[in-house]
Amino acid sequence: MYSLNYKVTTSSCDSNGQLKLYSALQMMQDCSEMWIDSEPAVKQYFAEQNMAQLLATRQVDIIRVPSYKEELTVETSVYGMKPMFGFRNTFIYDAEGKPCYKTWSMGAFVDKSTGKLKRVDDATINSMTIVPQLDMDYQDRRIILPHPDTASQVNIAHAAPIPVMRADIDYNRHVNNANYIRMAMELLPDDFAISRLRVEYRIAAKLGDTLMPTLFTSPDRIIVALAVNNETSAIIEFNR
């Protein structure tokens, strides 16, 4: 387990003085990335093998949105490990230790030089600290898009293209995971209150790409599919 302490500051607040979902995602992502410092054997193995873990899917259940100046603790832990995939919980707790956000995610292990999946050996897997899965409503990792010919009560529409900017790129040289969600949230109605978020990452978008959004809107959810060159880059599902 690895944890980081935060305070909700002005730069992480929205116009109502509440923590932006984008900022909460950045907190989760930072804690998950720093987790490897608590597993020196894994850190050494990944460095020697020129490997990285890339986020493949994440679910976020929003229990309560914190407000300005609240003290928060982000904790992340691994509850499952396979040769090419890892599974973790990352929760954000308030000062009383009550969860504000419950999340689980799956990461894929890749070779940095090729971008292809790469296996982690058994010795490294066995060296890791695996903790029990935390309590939350686990949904499927795959998001199925409604088909235009069969969708009922689903409105399908296209939004304006979104160019990938320099500020969207992280040290892996592709669009940062949280930025896909930030882009998609700009397409939601102002009164859309998010209770759950699911996102599936498929093909990484890079600087110079243009993301083409398609919205699938139904009474209880909106799915935003972001595509590059007719290939799906990310699918984000927002539930009321």
Side-chain angles (χ1 to χ4, degrees):
M1 179 179 291
Y2 190 87
S3 66
L4 290 173
N5 295 323
Y6 288 93
K7 176 175 280 190
V8 182
T9 59
T10 52
S11 62
S12 60
C13 282
D14 62 17
S15 59
N16 296 314
Q18 291 188 303
L19 182 66
K20 297 175 186 176
L21 179 55
Y22 174 66
S23 298
L25 290 166
Q26 289 180 308
M27 294 176 183
M28 299 171 198
Q29 187 170 276
D30 289 345
C31 189
S32 297
E33 288 286 330
M34 297 295 289
W35 160 88
I36 202 166
D37 288 341
S38 68
E39 297 283 347
V42 179
K43 185 175 183 178
Q44 180 179 349
Y45 180 84
F46 271 54
E48 292 173 349
Q49 298 294 318
N50 194 34
M51 291 175 64
Q53 176 177 282
L54 300 183
L55 190 62
T57 186
R58 185 192 292 280
Q59 175 186 328
V60 181
D61 286 358
I62 302 172
I63 312 303
R64 180 182 73 82
V65 180
S67 298
Y68 177 55
K69 287 190 175 182
E70 280 200 56
E71 302 280 353
L72 304 175
T73 299
V74 187
E75 292 186 355
T76 192
S77 56
V78 173
Y79 65 80
M81 186 75 172
K82 296 181 179 180
M84 290 189 288
F85 301 97
F87 302 84
R88 73 168 66 242
N89 286 122
T90 306
F91 280 25
I92 298 182
Y93 299 94
D94 63 18
E96 297 180 355
K98 297 178 180 178
C100 296
Y101 303 86
K102 297 181 176 183
T103 87
W104 77 270
S105 60
M106 184 185 82
F109 308 129
V110 299
D111 187 309
K112 287 184 179 180
S113 59
T114 65
K116 295 181 178 180
L117 289 173
K118 188 172 182 177
R119 297 174 66 90
V120 174
D121 65 17
D122 291 341
T124 302
I125 293 175
N126 293 333
S127 76
M128 291 182 55
T129 302
I130 306 295
V131 304
Q133 201 174 31
L134 296 181
D135 179 45
M136 64 178 291
D137 182 11
Y138 291 81
Q139 300 290 305
D140 194 272
R141 69 179 183 86
R142 295 192 179 278
I143 302 173
I144 306 301
L145 295 177
H147 193 279
D149 296 333
T150 59
S152 59
Q153 292 188 313
V154 176
N155 180 55
I156 302 174
H158 300 284
I162 304 170
V164 175
M165 304 171 67
R166 289 194 299 269
D168 297 321
I169 305 298
D170 62 18
Y171 68 89
N172 288 313
R173 299 193 177 184
H174 55 61
V175 174
N176 182 267
N177 300 317
N179 284 335
Y180 290 100
I181 299 166
R182 176 186 56 77
M183 296 171 186
M185 288 182 66
E186 291 295 326
L187 305 175
L188 300 180
D190 290 340
D191 61 350
F192 193 96
I194 305 168
S195 65
R196 170 176 290 157
L197 162 75
R198 290 196 303 148
V199 56
E200 182 182 345
Y201 299 100
R202 296 189 179 180
I203 298 174
K206 299 179 176 62
L207 183 62
D209 286 340
T210 298
L211 292 163
M212 307 298 293
T214 303
L215 280 70
F216 302 82
T217 303
S218 57
D220 59 343
R221 66 175 182 167
I222 295 177
I223 299 175
V224 180
L226 300 173
V228 175
N229 297 326
N230 295 318
E231 291 189 282
T232 302
S233 181
I235 303 173
I236 305 100
E237 178 191 77
F238 301 97
N239 284 269
R240 294 184 186 272

